[in-house]
Amino acid sequence: MVDIASTSFDGNLLEKAVRKIARSSDETQKLARRRLAQARTKAPGASDLDLQSRVAKTIVRGHTLRSGVAGGGTGLIGAVPGVGTVAAISAGVTADVILQMKVNVDMCHALVYVFKPDMEPEEAFSLAVTLASYGTLEKQGARKVGGAATRLASQAGVRVLRQQLRGSALLATKQAFKRVGIVFTRKAVEKAIPFGVGAVISSGVNAGLTTYVGREARKWLELDAVME
């Protein structure tokens, strides 16, 4: 039997890895501004919020297409019996989770700058990480923001997340990464024990997860804009 304690995924490692490979704030901000300018040219009469929502949907679609790559290669590790199963838990899942979170954080980072173009870089990244993490956890059925009864994309979810980030954005992101790591570690063990093959995330699952996270992050930001 696999010991989950020996396969636990370090949330600090996940945070460091994603920060290292994530798109920079400067690049992300420029991307968001370029997309907004292009959209404004096509729809000059649209309201700011309508324009932001249109651009946000385009960004989610683009990142959904990219997200399949994260699970396509590392899932092959589990095809090797015995050693392959261990590798899928310790190495393959690590790569899967890092790449999946990188895509989702990049996407949420761009969404944040679409709705909050002048937000400070560290604040924008912290909000992006928190949206990506809570969206991921919610999709996995692990947790809803602020408690079991609160969805991310709700007025209560907006209030809870605002409060968390006002308290300590750094602590909020660390806790979010840690929870994501724990959830995917457990799912890796669940998949590995009965079947002996396969990593936790596949290409199809990646696309669905990114779509869900992107939609919930967009709705959160829309609500946040209305509630300001």
Side-chain angles (χ1 to χ4, degrees):
M1 183 173 179
V2 179
D3 178 9
I4 193 169
S6 65
T7 60
S8 60
F9 193 87
D10 187 346
N12 290 329
L13 174 61
L14 177 58
E15 179 186 3
K16 290 176 182 178
V18 172
R19 280 183 179 273
K20 186 173 183 179
I21 64 176
R23 191 188 296 126
S24 71
S25 290
D26 184 58
E27 184 181 359
T28 304
Q29 191 175 41
K30 287 179 180 178
L31 168 65
R33 286 177 174 171
R34 185 169 64 251
R35 292 287 181 85
L36 283 168
Q38 292 169 345
R40 176 63 71 189
T41 300
K42 294 179 181 179
S47 68
D48 288 345
L49 186 57
D50 181 50
L51 204 69
Q52 290 165 332
S53 296
R54 293 186 193 188
V55 172
K57 290 176 182 177
T58 301
I59 288 173
V60 172
R61 285 196 295 270
H63 283 81
T64 295
L65 292 175
R66 295 187 188 97
S67 66
V69 177
T74 52
L76 296 176
I77 297 173
V80 181
V83 173
T85 300
V86 175
I89 297 173
S90 62
V93 172
T94 299
D96 279 350
V97 175
I98 290 172
L99 290 172
Q100 177 69 69
M101 287 303 294
K102 180 258 194 300
V103 172
N104 289 352
V105 168
D106 281 349
M107 173 180 65
C108 289
H109 202 180
L111 294 178
V112 168
Y113 274 126
V114 165
F115 288 89
K116 300 175 181 291
D118 299 318
M119 199 171 199
E120 290 297 319
E122 190 57 38
E123 291 180 11
F125 187 78
S126 294
L127 177 54
V129 167
T130 310
L131 289 171
S133 298
Y134 276 123
T136 297
L137 294 172
E138 191 168 287
K139 174 63 173 174
Q140 298 298 322
R143 146 175 207 178
K144 297 182 186 295
V145 61
T150 306
R151 283 192 59 185
L152 175 64
S154 67
Q155 290 188 349
V158 171
R159 287 192 291 268
V160 170
L161 213 57
R162 282 178 177 177
Q163 186 173 357
Q164 284 188 2
L165 292 171
R166 275 199 300 265
S168 173
L170 184 60
L171 179 59
T173 57
K174 285 183 178 296
Q175 290 177 336
F177 271 126
K178 181 178 180 180
R179 183 61 179 160
V180 168
I182 290 171
V183 167
F184 278 122
T185 295
R186 287 176 177 168
K187 287 190 173 294
V189 174
E190 289 169 3
K191 288 191 63 125
I193 291 173
F195 303 110
V197 296
V200 67
I201 308 178
S202 65
S203 300
V205 173
N206 279 18
L209 178 57
T210 297
T211 298
Y212 183 90
V213 170
R215 183 180 68 240
E216 296 304 293
R218 172 180 60 80
K219 289 180 178 178
W220 189 97
L221 288 160
E222 289 172 347
L223 281 169
D224 179 66
V226 172
M227 292 169 62
E228 282 183 342

